[in-house]
Amino acid sequence: MQRMNPGAVAPKAYQAVMGLEKYVQSNVDRTVLELVKLRASMINGCAYCVDMHSRDALAEGESSRRLFAVAAWRESPFFDERERAALALTDAVTRLGEHGVPDDVWDAAAKVWSEKELADLVIAIATINVWNRIGVTMQLEPPAQA
């Protein structure tokens, strides 16, 4: 059962996060954005977001085969170099450890993404991590019917 509705309790904070969401939706490639959102949500165990972003990606024409493969993207042949770099960066930023994002992960991303694209990608990864932390903390559940 959902603990609270943070949008109702702290609407200004919720709108601030929505501002980030609107920014990334306008500035990050939609296919990559949904892959990043799905991957971070899987890592964070946010069932609500995994469900939502899987459905969103399918509605935008993404294949179910590629969506299932996000869980094992390193071993999957279905992603191009830019998508792989985005997924690796998502893993590193989402699992941010004591030493931060490894140089090899950053360098691989910087090789295939422009500086602006990379900045937007980092903001997108940070934003989905905020949403995941809200969703998991508030115990949001996917709708029974989609």
Side-chain angles (χ1 to χ4, degrees):
M1 185 168 171
Q2 185 172 326
R3 291 179 169 161
M4 79 166 67
N5 178 347
V9 176
K12 287 184 181 179
Y14 190 84
Q15 286 304 313
V17 181
M18 278 303 298
L20 286 171
E21 183 63 35
K22 288 176 184 175
Y23 176 85
V24 298
Q25 286 181 13
S26 297
N27 288 281
V28 178
D29 173 82
R30 289 295 294 179
T31 299
V32 170
L33 183 58
E34 290 304 332
L35 294 174
V36 163
K37 288 179 175 184
L38 181 57
R39 181 61 183 166
S41 299
M42 288 174 170
I43 292 168
N44 289 322
C46 186
Y48 181 88
C49 291
V50 168
D51 176 72
M52 177 174 46
H53 298 301
S54 296
R55 287 186 291 113
D56 289 350
L58 287 169
E60 292 177 18
E62 184 60 84
S63 75
S64 57
R65 194 170 186 201
R66 277 176 35 105
L67 292 180
F68 297 144
V70 168
W73 70 267
R74 285 184 190 343
E75 293 78 26
S76 172
F78 305 131
F79 305 104
D80 66 26
E81 186 177 17
R82 284 171 56 92
E83 292 166 338
R84 288 183 167 298
L87 290 165
L89 189 60
T90 300
D91 284 8
V93 172
T94 301
R95 293 182 172 128
L96 198 58
E98 181 180 341
H99 302 290
V101 174
D103 288 339
D104 63 323
V105 172
W106 181 262
D107 293 344
K111 177 182 159 196
V112 295
W113 293 90
S114 73
E115 190 171 277
K116 170 73 164 68
E117 290 172 326
L118 196 50
D120 290 341
L121 188 56
V122 170
I123 298 297
I125 296 165
T127 302
I128 188 56
N129 274 279
V130 169
W131 286 126
N132 289 163
R133 279 149 179 77
I134 291 169
V136 170
T137 302
M138 299 305 161
Q139 298 179 340
L140 300 182
E141 292 183 359
Q145 297 289 339

